[in-house]
Amino acid sequence: MSAKLLLGKPCVESMREQICKHAESLGEPRICAIGFDEPRWNQYSASIMKSAATYGFECDKITLDEDSDPNAVFDIVAKAGARKDVCGVIVQQPLPKRYQKAVEFIPAEKDIDCLNPLSVCKMYSGEDGFRPATPSAVINLLDYYGIAIQGKRVVIVGRGNTVGKPLALIMLQRNATVTVCHTKTVDLPSVCRSADILVSACGVPALITADCVTDKTVVIDVGLSFVDGKTRGDVAEEVYDKCFAVSPVPGGVGPVTRSALFLNALAAAENK
């Protein structure tokens, strides 16, 4: 029997409806995206601006000079954060090394991408604050499909700062029992088979094979890589014929990530 597909689109539509409804009542709140004139950032920021309109937000884009003095960049970020008409600030990631401190100038109450070290500290200490969009999207997807987290065994394959570590903390806050695996984990398949919910966020195609799951495993694929020009996740096709449910790549967690970002922006606008 094929696994149930945990598709992101219906989750996104549900989240967008709620976000738009509340954003409208706030009078089209505004976010600000700051980055350099680089192809990847231009593409990402353009997609943010396009998405903003569909979620009921305005979006300003500030393009930095590639030869800017770091202090000038820090000042630009600080001034954007100080604007009363801006509820959220997004800064290009990753930044060149000499500009990396720019995230420290994003006010915590407007740090909708959870980049400021203060936001990260709040997350690690369990305080109220924003959570990174991709780990939040995993939770949003599970909640949408009614998959319980509390009391469940969760195995996360990947210990990166972007997904693995923050997701482990969020899962702990939701009262799951969490195991984090990595490249040095001995007998990865047996550890994975112990999971009720298995999340892979490594960017290694076909890392999760059929011997990593049972017919009761819920698999969330956060991996992203490209093979022969096509987008691939961490989960091998054979898993789809064995596990209970799986989020596909593309079409699973990815689309929900943008909704999670604007959910943070909505919270920032309401708090403002």
Side-chain angles (χ1 to χ4, degrees), residues 226-248:
F226 298 94
V227 179
D228 297 328
K230 295 183 179 180
T231 304
R232 293 285 185 265
D234 288 354
V235 177
E237 291 184 9
E238 63 195 54
V239 172
Y240 286 64
D241 295 324
K242 185 176 181 181
C243 67
F244 174 73
V246 59
S247 68

Side-chain angles (χ1 to χ4, degrees), residues 108-165:
E109 67 274 14
K110 297 184 180 184
D111 186 19
I112 59 175
D113 219 10
C114 196
L115 298 173
N116 188 316
L118 178 58
S119 300
V120 177
C121 287
K122 284 186 173 184
M123 177 178 63
Y124 274 73
S125 62
E127 295 181 41
D128 289 339
F130 298 118
R131 303 296 184 252
T134 301
S136 295
V138 172
I139 303 298
N140 295 143
L141 193 65
L142 290 169
D143 286 345
Y144 176 80
Y145 284 100
I147 297 169
I149 296 173
Q150 181 168 306
K152 297 300 179 68
R153 292 183 178 274
V154 175
V155 172
I156 300 171
V157 185
R159 55 180 171 179
N161 293 327
T162 303
V163 181
K165 288 178 182 177

